[in-house]
Amino acid sequence: QNSPAPGGGSVSALVGSLGVALLSMVSLLTYDKKEYFSRREKMSRLGEMAHKYQKRLKELVDEDTHAFDSVMDASRLPEKAKSDIKLKKQELFKAYKIATDTPLEIAIISLEIIKLSIDLIKYGNPNSVTDAHVAAEVGLAGVRGGCVNVMINLSSFDKISDYDRNIEEKIEGLLRESNRLHKKAFTLTKKIIKQ
């Protein structure tokens, strides 16, 4: 298509929502099995969390597109008078702030998906272990996709501290933790498959 939106941020949210839908399915498949009756409360809680994340990520698909559209609208504002320039600068700042907040939230929720996948790899129905693991895979994609979209938008601020002076640390933390947890999910999954 010949349009820049929906773009990478929206796709990151979409894949995250697909991954968390798998976790919802795994929690239900475990909840319904009588041999896992003792895990029902845990599965119910994990399923509710998965549902909450899925709902928010679906909203973020559209929010990311709207954020990009707002940046485009602000960049088209006139610059004839001093008051125009001031207004345009304010509107661009607001638009870029939202356009950066949105993929950051996508990355944060995607990290939670990897954490949730580990719980469902460990405690879910072992017949569905690979479904739970696929959620960790797309969770990792969501974290990375969200983070690179934050990174590219940071160049739109006069100074990174105009957005958040700790944002680079936050991004590094998200990337590091997502890689660590993804490896853990993969190791656990292989172990369960080989049992």
Side-chain angles (χ1 to χ4, degrees), residues 47-63:
E48 280 171 26
M49 286 167 70
H51 181 72
K52 183 184 83 171
Y53 294 142
Q54 186 182 17
K55 183 177 183 289
R56 184 61 189 136
L57 284 166
K58 280 181 177 175
E59 292 166 354
L60 285 163
V61 171
D62 291 331
E63 284 180 30

Side-chain angles (χ1 to χ4, degrees), residues 30-121:
T30 309
Y31 185 92
D32 285 341
K33 291 270 184 200
K34 58 180 177 285
E35 60 263 42
Y36 305 117
F37 193 79
S38 62
R39 300 179 191 174
R40 274 194 148 184
E41 199 177 311
K42 184 186 272 293
M43 288 305 123
S44 180
R45 186 175 49 80
L46 295 174
E48 280 171 26
M49 286 167 70
H51 181 72
K52 183 184 83 171
Y53 294 142
Q54 186 182 17
K55 183 177 183 289
R56 184 61 189 136
L57 284 166
K58 280 181 177 175
E59 292 166 354
L60 285 163
V61 171
D62 291 331
E63 284 180 30
D64 189 73
T65 300
H66 296 319
F68 181 80
D69 290 342
S70 296
V71 167
M72 296 313 294
D73 291 344
S75 66
R76 291 186 192 111
L77 289 171
E79 295 180 85
K80 291 185 177 95
K82 268 189 178 175
S83 59
D84 290 344
I85 294 167
K86 188 180 177 188
L87 176 69
K88 182 173 183 172
K89 194 173 180 177
Q90 287 170 344
E91 290 303 308
L92 272 169
F93 180 84
K94 280 195 286 189
Y96 273 116
K97 171 116 179 46
I98 295 166
T100 310
D101 288 346
T102 306
L104 181 60
E105 186 178 354
I106 292 164
I108 290 166
I109 294 173
S110 296
L111 179 60
E112 293 305 312
I113 291 168
I114 304 173
K115 292 176 186 174
L116 199 56
S117 75
I118 289 170
D119 274 343
L120 282 155
I121 289 164

Side-chain angles (χ1 to χ4, degrees), residues 121 133 181-192:
I121 289 164
H133 179 72
L181 292 173
H182 171 263
K183 280 181 186 154
K184 184 178 179 180
F186 192 53
T187 302
L188 284 167
T189 300
K190 285 192 294 184
K191 208 155 122 185
I192 291 164

